[in-house]
Amino acid sequence: MKNILVTGGAGFIGSNFIQYILDKEDDILLINLDLLTYAGNLENLRDCENDKRYHFVKGDIRDRALVGKLFAQYDFDTVVHFAAESHVDRSITEPEVFLTTNVLGTQVLLDAAKAHWKLDLDNKYARDYRAGVRYLQVSTDEVYGALGKTGMFTETTPLAPNSPYSASKASADLMVRAYHQTFGLPVSITRCSNNYGPYQFPEKLIPLMIHNAEKDKPLPVYGDGMQIRDWLHVKDHCAAIWMVLQAGKAGEVYNIGGNNEKTNLEIVRLILAELGKPESLISYVQDRPGHDRRYAIDNTKITTELGWKPAYTFEQGIHETIAWYQQHRSWLEHIDSGAYEAYYERMYGVAT
Ligand code: NAD
Ligand code: DAU
């Protein structure tokens, strides 16, 4: 049996990961520690809320006492750390919470993992840990900064983050690396490109554009719309994380991406075409400050060393994703109305 602490499991990728693992593994216990910020939504986990292999804990990764208590109670052998402030635009208007959650929160988890897993905790020179334990940091390609027209990010590309969000993620990665180098903590870092799929909060490009198009509202395209992102279906990201947990070497970084570079305008036009809406809804707005022009992931390491490859083609994945948002209008509407917060109150009897 694996006892896994999943942080941020009520968010977009974390909730998809929990469902992905429950669908494929029987002998597992998943504890989801999530603060339920604006981005956390327990409605994402409706299908598994009565599953005995899953338990939700509302709490903050920055809360040392709580994290230590959970380690003692559940004897985790694995941490999959998704919890973060994840939206670049918000990091431009309120950077501080990105530092406290993304950097300091990561350090709290690293300390707890070290304290619980290290065999001789009092000896600072000792580097032996319980067998089979692993701390996995879910990071992002944004830590590498921006690319020009050519080239791709490899695992050895120097870190050059440009937004407060990506700077906080890069800082967290460096702490994870330091805990491996200094203390020998068995860690993995994954750096994935842009995800799309069900349950993504509608502040991000794809669900926002679907939502606005359906309501015949303007679609705000930053700058010239020619920025490039490398899109991967969220389930392919989840599969890659699981593979790194099974087979990844401790101390290594793995880039994750599916070779699907698209300009933002291509994405927006595709959404409008699928929904049968006019391109006149596109509204060019002022560009994001410090906007990274292009991301592209070189996935050679994870494909050749671990044998991972994406299951979704972009065409299939985006088609299914647009259909999912059309079929789950109430999910989007509950976010619009704030009703998703009331859902927690109904489930657990207290306000978020
Ligand atoms: P999200 O914003 O949808 O979810 C974040 C979750 O973390 C929410 O449920 C929120 O309530 C929770 N959270 C925030 N602060 C917390 C705290 N202090 N304590 C406990 N929980 C807290 O994010 P996402 O898009 O699912 O991203 C998950 C992770 O994957 C992040 O670390 C992000 O940097 C990384 N990532 C995202 C993408 C992407 O395209 N979305 C790509 C690569 C990497
Ligand atoms: O690359 C991985 C990263 O992808 C993750 O680490 C982040 O957590 C995730 O939010 C995402 O970051 P981006 O900034 O690339 O995603 P976002 O959906 O915010 O924007 C995608 C692109 O679309 C980007 O070039 C900005 C543009 N955009 C976005 C919004 C919300 C617009 O043109 N208009 C918009 O309204």
Side-chain angles (χ1 to χ4, degrees), residues 10-13 34-35 37 40 60-61 82 86 139 165 169 193 195:
F12 164 48
I13 307 175
D34 196 300
L35 185 58
T37 66
D60 195 328
I61 55 166
F82 292 100
S86 70
S139 187
Y165 161 69
K169 293 294 290 185
S193 59
N195 284 211

Side-chain angles (χ1 to χ4, degrees), residues 7-14 33-41 59-62 81-87 101-102 138-141 165 169 191-196 199-201 203-204 231 237:
T7 70
F12 164 48
I13 307 175
L33 172 62
D34 196 300
L35 185 58
L36 298 182
T37 66
Y38 77 94
N41 184 354
D60 195 328
I61 55 166
R62 294 164 292 190
H81 178 31
F82 292 100
E85 289 293 334
S86 70
H87 191 35
T101 287
N102 297 1
V138 180
S139 187
T140 166
D141 60 357
Y165 161 69
K169 293 294 290 185
R191 295 190 180 134
C192 191
S193 59
N194 285 61
N195 284 211
Y196 68 94
Y199 300 117
Q200 186 166 31
F201 197 82
E203 65 186 351
K204 305 283 169 66
W231 293 94
H237 186 186

Side-chain angles (χ1 to χ4, degrees), residues 21-33:
I21 298 298
L22 292 176
D23 286 345
K24 75 190 294 293
E25 299 293 324
D26 288 329
D27 202 15
I28 204 109
L29 179 65
L30 299 173
I31 306 301
N32 172 15
L33 172 62

Side-chain angles (χ1 to χ4, degrees), residues 86-89 140-142 165 192-194 203-205 208-209 220-222 227 229 231 264 288 291 295:
S86 70
H87 191 35
V88 174
D89 291 332
T140 166
D141 60 357
E142 297 201 14
Y165 161 69
C192 191
S193 59
N194 285 61
E203 65 186 351
K204 305 283 169 66
L205 181 74
L208 177 80
M209 297 299 170
V221 169
Y222 298 162
Q227 304 84 1
R229 296 295 181 264
W231 293 94
N264 294 337
R288 174 187 275 174
H291 200 169
Y295 304 141

Side-chain angles (χ1 to χ4, degrees), residues 27-90:
D27 202 15
I28 204 109
L29 179 65
L30 299 173
I31 306 301
N32 172 15
L33 172 62
D34 196 300
L35 185 58
L36 298 182
T37 66
Y38 77 94
N41 184 354
L42 287 178
E43 285 193 40
N44 302 2
L45 293 157
R46 225 175 211 157
D47 292 347
C48 55
E49 63 200 17
N50 295 319
D51 194 310
K52 290 194 167 36
R53 298 166 297 161
Y54 166 76
H55 183 63
F56 172 70
V57 177
K58 179 173 189 273
D60 195 328
I61 55 166
R62 294 164 292 190
D63 182 342
R64 268 180 199 277
L66 172 66
V67 171
K69 195 179 109 204
L70 292 176
F71 264 87
Q73 186 177 351
Y74 292 105
D75 193 21
F76 302 122
D77 45 47
T78 307
V79 175
V80 186
H81 178 31
F82 292 100
E85 289 293 334
S86 70
H87 191 35
V88 174
D89 291 332
R90 286 179 190 256

Side-chain angles (χ1 to χ4, degrees), residues 12 38-39 41 44 87 90 197 199-212 217 220 324-325 331-337 340:
F12 164 48
Y38 77 94
N41 184 354
N44 302 2
H87 191 35
R90 286 179 190 256
Y199 300 117
Q200 186 166 31
F201 197 82
E203 65 186 351
K204 305 283 169 66
L205 181 74
I206 289 179
L208 177 80
M209 297 299 170
I210 296 171
H211 192 39
N212 284 13
K217 282 166 58 177
W324 187 89
Y325 285 99
W331 182 85
L332 278 172
E333 273 153 21
H334 288 174
I335 288 173
D336 262 357
S337 68
Y340 73 114

